[in-house]
Amino acid sequence: QVQLVESGGGLVQPGGSLRLSCAASGFTLDHYAVRWFRQAPGKAREGISCVSIDGASTYYDDSVKGRVTISRDNAKNRVYLQMNNLKPEDTAVYSCAAGPEGLCSGSYYGIHSWGQGTQVTVSS
């Protein structure tokens, strides 16, 4: 019953917005750092954003900085990724992972859970 489930993806026009959700079941998400990844077809998975366990520290890859905000809603056991001014280059499967604090420093050891992903397609 330990699960991470992403939702909120879909088809959006360039310049549009989406809010992705990373919802935890069977564990308390605010005990873990959460990192968002994306993977486009034929491309390697890349980390695009991360939030620390206490929510005080956030990370954004340069490719999304200024257009994306990561946040926690501990009452709902969720982490959100608000994405604005979306571009066709943002088209990818977006997934989230929960792990120890080092997750936001690039360490993927000890990951507690990893979601299956949600598709984001930015197209006219």
Side-chain angles (χ1 to χ4, degrees), residues 1 8 23-25 29-30 35 41 43 46 80 105 118-119 122 124:
Q1 292 188 342
S25 297
L29 192 56
D30 66 7
R35 179 176 285 271
K43 302 291 185 180
E46 59 176 341
Y80 298 106
S105 301
T118 184
Q119 176 71 48
V122 184
S124 298

Side-chain angles (χ1 to χ4, degrees), residues 27-110:
F27 70 101
T28 302
L29 192 56
D30 66 7
H31 291 177
Y32 301 91
V34 176
R35 179 176 285 271
W36 282 96
F37 300 82
R38 68 182 180 187
Q39 187 168 26
K43 302 291 185 180
R45 184 162 52 207
E46 59 176 341
I48 58 169
S49 188
C50 197
V51 61
S52 61
I53 293 172
D54 64 1
S57 298
T58 57
Y59 164 83
Y60 303 98
D61 186 77
D62 287 342
S63 64
V64 299
K65 192 173 296 181
R67 302 186 295 120
V68 166
T69 302
I70 190 169
S71 62
R72 313 195 73 123
D73 188 339
N74 295 337
K76 294 185 176 181
N77 210 23
R78 290 183 178 226
V79 168
Y80 298 106
L81 191 72
Q82 177 69 45
M83 304 193 297
N84 302 318
N85 193 25
L86 285 162
K87 306 175 185 297
E89 308 92 87
D90 296 319
T91 296
V93 174
Y94 286 71
S95 59
C96 60
E101 198 73 89
L103 183 62
C104 290
S105 301
S107 174
Y108 300 148
Y109 292 102

